[in-house]
Amino acid sequence: MVDSPVIFKRTKRKAGQRTRDASPDHAEITSMPADGGEESPITLASKLKNKVKRTQPKSRLSFGGDDEGGDGEVFAVKKSNLSRKLALGTHPANALPTTLDQATISSRSNGAPVYDQAYLSELKASTLSTRRPVASDSHDGEVSMDIEDVSTTVIDVFPESESVIPSESSITAAKQRRERLRASGPEEDFISLSVTRRSDISQGPHPESRLMREEDELGEGEDEFAEYTSAQERIALGKKSKKVEAAKRKDAMQEMIADAEEQDEETAEWEIEQLRRGGHTGAASVETTPAKQIYKPAPIPPSSAIPNLGSAVDRLAQTLTSLTVSHAKNTSAGASLADEREQVDTREAQLRNLIDKSEHKRSWFVAFREWIESVATFLDEKFPKLEKLEHEYLSMLKERSDMINQRRQADDADDLSLVFGSLSPARSSDPEEIDDLGRVVPRANPETMRRERRIARLGRHNRRQIRAAQKETDVSQEGYSTDSSLSPSDASDYQTALQRIADDAESILDDVRAEEFKNPNLGLGKWFGEWRDRFGDSYTGAWGGLGLIGAWEFWVRLELLGWNPLETPKNLDEFAWYSSLYNYSRPHADDMEDGESDLGPDGDLVSAMLSTAVVPHICKMVDRGALNPYSDRDIRRMIDLAEQVEASIGTDNHKFQMILKSVHTAIENVVVGTESLLAPFIAYNQPTFDPETIGARQRFLFRQTKLLENTVRWRKYAGREFGDGELCVRLVRTCVLPVANTGWEVGGEERIHQIMAILPHDLVTAVKSQLPA
């Protein structure tokens, strides 16, 4: 069995004790009886200790006694009370009690010491109960066992149980050891008490003090206490080193936890014993000391009566009833759970189907968006070219209309010069012409120019008679002819310009190779139709039909480029875009055998396209002079075109009202132009005799009559909303009557009666008041 380690301590002795140990009379005094006859207890205890020391064998080990010549006292290890009892070999009754409480007051006949209660109380009162001071951390404290210096060290195995006074030889040996250490030089754990050699080292800021500060030492203690201060630890930077460092920290924490949880029984007992000896016998010792288990026999249950059959049957019936009810509840709960599971499965299938549809819808819309972006890029490139060609075509119409209007005004001015007299050049409102050098260009002779225009007009009239072959009534009568045809050279140039615009329109799509961009049915019709069929709610909510119209407008305007509905007898339903949009608006047309099919969710897209692209195009052409109010053919075709638009978009649509307004404006501009032309002649009114005056008056009245007939025809279709009736009355009052009054007897009265027959009944009253009596 391995003995527990022995701790050697130096215990400080009082000066009085050392003096008594050193004096030779001490032994004699202690050996004398207390009262001369009876020995005291202290004397008996001292004799017993000396006897034990004499009976112990001498130690074979030498702890430094040879250095002192062999006369020193042999060092003895202090043993516990139990070992001391065994070494005595006597009866346990001869052993001294460890505490005063264990002493007996009975007297013995064999001469053993007798302790009565009075003596024990007196001895206990005289004994100090204050704890011994804790030993300092100086070199007089705990030191490890050294074989050479054991003889100079006092062993204190039981520091609290009993005090041991060192002998004189022990004190001498300790002094000699200190001298040797002082002579050999300072050691690591040795602080010299001598003041003679302190000058050899640095005195520090306080030379009078023997204490050393931490900063006065050579080093800061980082190497010595590196294990506790982490002075030599390095910061882990790499991934591998961080893993190793984390593993070390984890192992250290587990080791500390294991050490904290580990408890040694011997150590726990030793700690409890030390606390008890130090007077700390409180709650800590009670908590750490395991309670002694006391055997308690199991209680015998009281006797109970034997149950009878009736109570058992009732109890079983109640149990059966509760089980039946529980079974019914569980059965219903199971059925409800089965129904819920079936519903959950159905809902799961629906959700999966919905997810699949959503994913399919998302992928389709991604492709649709990419295609729409490509269409947008195509339109951004092609639309400017189309708008440029449209502007050129409208400019050509405007130029042609200006040429015809100027020639007609020149004819009217020639006829009015014969009726009212020729205006002098000074009264002419035409500005002077200036050449490039700033010189005034001399005006031509009015008579000569009038004669040339008259010859040219007769030539055009003869050509129209031959070309018309008597198709128009009164074509032989000058004035009924609109005279809107161009000269052969101007007509050739006009046709050439129209052909160039048509060629440029076809060349817009020459660089396009994809058929879906050439034919909107294969592109726009396919994608938007698929959107409507597969995702109808999204299509309707996003107004997909209007988006289709906005994208299809380019191809519609490209097809309408160069089309003049007043010259080319081509209806709207003959265009390709009309039939395409008509079929697209009726997706179930193939399922209907008889009659028209119902419209789709977009309604009639043809009317939407007419409002978006066709009607603005018609209004622009009318405003630029494509409509000739003097032409009966133009008015009839304009009425037919307006009826087609009205059938699609309705009368109340503001786009249809735009067409009516444009036609009314064109007629009004002609009436205003005639009034401005006639006003200076009426103011001059100096007619001269000329045989051609009667023919000139008839031609002017015939043209105004033709304009009045066309205006009345348009008023009959358009209604009274824009004031076409007032325009007819204004024409008769300001343009017809002043000229007819100049030759009332030579054809003027007859022409007025014809005009009154043309006017509606509601307008005749307003005109009759202006007629001569």
Side-chain angles (χ1 to χ4, degrees):
M1 177 174 141
V2 180
D3 295 334
S4 59
V6 181
I7 301 175
F8 300 93
K9 295 184 178 180
R10 294 192 185 99
T11 57
K12 295 183 180 181
R13 299 304 179 93
K14 297 181 181 180
Q17 293 178 354
R18 295 181 181 178
T19 305
R20 289 193 299 269
D21 294 341
S23 62
D25 298 334
H26 177 68
E28 298 176 0
I29 294 172
T30 55
S31 60
M32 292 176 64
D35 296 331
E38 187 177 359
E39 296 180 352
S40 63
I42 299 176
T43 305
L44 294 176
S46 301
K47 289 182 179 181
L48 182 59
K49 290 180 181 179
N50 294 335
K51 184 178 179 180
V52 172
K53 291 179 181 180
R54 287 194 300 271
T55 56
Q56 288 179 353
K58 300 293 180 179
S59 176
R60 297 180 182 180
L61 298 177
S62 175
F63 294 93
D66 296 341
D67 297 339
E68 300 177 1
D71 298 333
E73 184 180 355
V74 179
F75 177 79
V77 179
K78 186 177 180 179
K79 298 184 179 180
S80 63
N81 296 333
L82 182 60
S83 61
R84 191 182 301 121
K85 292 176 183 180
L86 295 175
L88 291 176
T90 58
H91 194 271
N94 297 331
L96 295 176
T98 57
T99 60
L100 295 177
D101 297 336
Q102 297 178 359
T104 180
I105 60 175
S106 61
S107 61
R108 298 184 181 276
S109 60
N110 55 0
V114 178
Y115 299 99
D116 54 0
Q117 186 65 29
Y119 179 75
L120 290 176
S121 300
E122 180 183 358
L123 183 60
K124 188 174 183 181
S126 61
T127 303
L128 298 176
S129 59
T130 305
R131 293 180 57 189
R132 295 177 58 188
V134 181
S136 60
D137 295 338
S138 62
H139 287 280
D140 292 337
E142 295 182 4
V143 295
S144 59
M145 180 177 178
D146 192 357
I147 301 300
E148 296 179 357
D149 301 331
V150 169
S151 60
T152 63
T153 306
V154 178
I155 304 175
D156 190 0
V157 179
F158 301 98
E160 298 290 340
S161 62
E162 188 175 351
S163 300
V164 178
I165 301 174
S167 61
E168 184 178 0
S169 60
S170 299
I171 297 173
T172 304
K175 290 181 179 180
Q176 291 177 358
R177 176 177 175 275
R178 185 175 294 278
E179 290 295 334
R180 287 197 309 272
L181 293 175
R182 185 183 298 110
S184 60
E187 297 181 358
E188 181 180 1
D189 296 335
F190 176 75
I191 300 177
S192 177
L193 300 178
S194 176
V195 297
T196 57
R197 297 184 181 180
R198 293 182 61 190
S199 60
D200 298 340
I201 60 177
S202 176
Q203 300 300 320
H206 304 284
E208 67 276 2
S209 177
R210 294 184 298 170
L211 298 177
M212 296 182 65
R213 297 188 307 175
E214 216 177 304
E215 55 267 21
D216 295 338
E217 296 180 2
L218 296 179
E220 296 183 358
E222 294 183 355
D223 297 336
E224 181 180 0
F225 303 102
E227 182 179 358
Y228 308 101
T229 60
S230 303
Q232 296 180 355
E233 290 187 0
R234 298 295 181 265
I235 298 176
L237 299 179
K239 186 176 180 182
K240 185 176 181 181
S241 59
K242 287 183 179 180
K243 289 184 178 180
V244 174
E245 189 69 20
K248 288 182 179 180
R249 286 197 302 269
K250 185 176 180 181
D251 296 341
M253 293 171 63
Q254 292 179 354
E255 184 177 356
M256 292 173 65
I257 293 172
D259 293 343
E261 293 178 352
E262 184 179 0
Q263 185 176 5
D264 189 5
E265 294 182 359
E266 296 181 358
T267 304
E269 292 179 359
W270 182 83
E271 291 178 355
I272 295 171
E273 183 66 21
Q274 296 302 319
L275 291 174
R276 187 185 64 79
R277 290 181 179 181
H280 301 282
T281 57
S285 60
V286 175
E287 293 178 358
T288 55
T289 304
K292 184 177 180 181
Q293 297 181 357
I294 301 174
Y295 171 74
K296 293 182 180 180
I300 299 174
S303 60
S304 59
I306 300 174
N308 53 10
L309 183 60
S311 61
V313 170
D314 295 340
R315 187 170 60 256
L316 290 175
Q318 294 177 358
T319 305
L320 180 61
T321 303
S322 62
L323 290 177
T324 304
V325 173
S326 176
H327 177 71
K329 291 182 179 179
N330 294 335
T331 303
S332 61
S336 63
L337 290 177
D339 295 340
E340 290 180 2
R341 181 175 181 179
E342 184 178 357
Q343 294 177 1
V344 168
D345 294 340
T346 305
R347 182 60 178 169
E348 181 182 3
Q350 294 176 356
L351 291 177
R352 291 184 180 276
N353 189 17
L354 182 61
I355 291 173
D356 295 339
K357 290 181 179 179
S358 300
E359 177 62 24
H360 183 65
K361 182 178 181 180
R362 186 198 64 81
S363 60
W364 188 88
F365 272 102
V366 168
F368 179 64
R369 180 179 179 180
E370 294 178 354
W371 187 83
I372 287 295
E373 289 178 354
S374 63
V375 172
T377 305
F378 169 80
L379 295 179
D380 291 341
E381 181 181 356
K382 301 298 182 181
F383 239 118
K385 299 180 180 179
L386 176 61
E387 291 177 347
K388 182 180 178 181
L389 292 177
E390 288 178 345
H391 180 70
E392 292 180 0
Y393 177 70
L394 295 177
S395 299
M396 291 172 53
L397 293 179
K398 179 64 175 175
E399 183 179 359
R400 174 177 174 272
S401 176
D402 293 341
M403 293 174 61
I404 294 175
N405 290 334
Q406 289 177 3
R407 189 176 61 193
R408 184 181 297 113
Q409 287 183 358
D411 293 342
D412 290 341
D414 293 343
D415 294 337
L416 292 176
S417 298
L418 295 175
V419 174
F420 294 98
S422 178
L423 297 176
S424 61
R427 298 179 58 90
S428 178
S429 60
D430 296 338
E432 297 179 350
E433 297 182 4
I434 300 175
D435 59 4
D436 296 338
L437 300 177
R439 294 173 299 183
V440 178
V441 178
R443 295 179 181 271
N445 189 357
E447 295 296 335
T448 304
M449 295 179 61
R450 189 182 303 115
R451 190 180 303 110
E452 292 177 355
R453 287 194 297 269
R454 176 61 180 165
I455 294 172
R457 183 167 55 250
L458 291 175
R460 291 193 302 272
H461 181 68
N462 294 330
R463 287 194 298 271
R464 281 197 304 274
Q465 285 182 339
I466 297 173
R467 185 171 57 252
Q470 302 297 332
K471 289 184 179 181
E472 295 187 10
T473 60
D474 296 334
V475 73
S476 59
Q477 179 62 46
E478 289 187 89
Y480 271 97
S481 175
T482 58
D483 200 14
S484 59
S485 60
L486 299 174
S487 61
S489 60
D490 293 337
S492 177
D493 295 339
Y494 179 73
Q495 294 297 328
T496 303
L498 289 179
Q499 185 63 35
R500 180 182 61 81
I501 290 177
D503 296 339
D504 292 342
E506 294 179 359
S507 65
I508 290 178
L509 301 179
D510 287 345
D511 57 343
V512 179
R513 297 293 181 266
E515 292 296 331
E516 59 185 3
F517 289 99
K518 291 183 177 181
N519 187 1
N521 281 325
L522 302 179
L524 293 174
K526 170 182 173 296
W527 280 97
F528 278 86
E530 187 176 356
W531 183 15
R532 180 183 59 187
D533 296 339
R534 300 175 65 176
F535 313 106
D537 296 339
S538 175
Y539 178 84
T540 305
W543 299 92
L546 296 180
L548 175 66
I549 293 300
W552 208 312
E553 181 182 355
F554 169 78
W555 284 272
V556 174
R557 292 172 61 176
L558 182 63
E559 191 174 358
L560 292 177
L561 182 62
W563 170 66
N564 188 350
L566 306 178
E567 294 181 358
T568 305
K570 185 176 182 180
N571 296 329
L572 293 175
D573 56 357
E574 297 179 6
F575 287 97
W577 61 266
Y578 189 98
S579 58
S580 298
L581 291 178
Y582 181 86
N583 296 330
Y584 181 86
S585 302
R586 294 162 178 81
H588 305 291
D590 298 338
D591 301 336
M592 302 295 293
E593 296 180 358
D594 298 331
E596 293 186 357
S597 61
D598 297 334
L599 294 174
D602 304 319
D604 189 7
L605 295 181
V606 175
S607 61
M609 182 59 72
L610 289 174
S611 302
T612 304
V614 179
V615 172
H617 180 71
I618 295 173
C619 293
K620 289 180 182 179
M621 289 191 300
V622 172
D623 295 339
R624 295 300 180 92
L627 175 64
N628 186 4
Y630 290 95
S631 174
D632 180 68
R633 183 196 62 183
D634 289 354
I635 294 298
R636 292 181 184 277
R637 289 181 179 178
M638 192 68 207
I639 292 175
D640 294 340
L641 180 63
E643 289 177 350
Q644 296 179 28
V645 175
E646 180 185 3
S648 297
I649 65 178
T651 308
D652 298 335
N653 195 308
H654 71 283
K655 295 291 184 178
F656 177 73
Q657 299 297 326
M658 289 175 56
I659 297 178
L660 302 181
K661 180 64 177 177
S662 298
V663 176
H664 173 78
T665 304
I667 298 174
E668 185 179 12
N669 292 335
V670 173
V671 173
V672 172
T674 304
E675 290 176 350
S676 61
L677 178 64
L678 184 59
F681 288 97
I682 294 175
Y684 183 68
N685 196 11
Q686 295 179 5
T688 59
F689 176 77
D690 193 336
E692 296 181 358
T693 301
I694 298 175
R697 184 183 296 109
Q698 292 296 326
R699 286 194 299 271
F700 182 82
L701 292 177
F702 286 155
R703 279 194 290 269
Q704 303 309 315
T705 302
K706 186 65 175 294
L707 178 61
L708 180 62
E709 289 179 353
N710 292 335
T711 305
V712 171
R713 184 180 290 111
W714 177 254
R715 178 180 180 272
K716 184 178 180 180
Y717 170 75
R720 306 177 182 181
E721 183 176 356
F722 294 97
D724 293 327
E726 290 78 1
L727 188 61
C728 294
V729 175
R730 178 182 175 184
L731 176 62
V732 174
R733 286 178 178 180
T734 60
C735 299
V736 176
L737 286 178
V739 177
N741 289 334
T742 60
W744 187 260
E745 295 81 4
V746 290
E749 183 179 3
E750 182 182 357
R751 181 55 54 187
I752 291 299
H753 287 297
Q754 293 178 358
I755 290 174
M756 296 299 291
I758 296 173
L759 289 174
H761 296 288
D762 56 341
L763 301 178
V764 173
T765 305
V767 175
K768 281 184 177 182
S769 60
Q770 302 292 331
L771 295 177

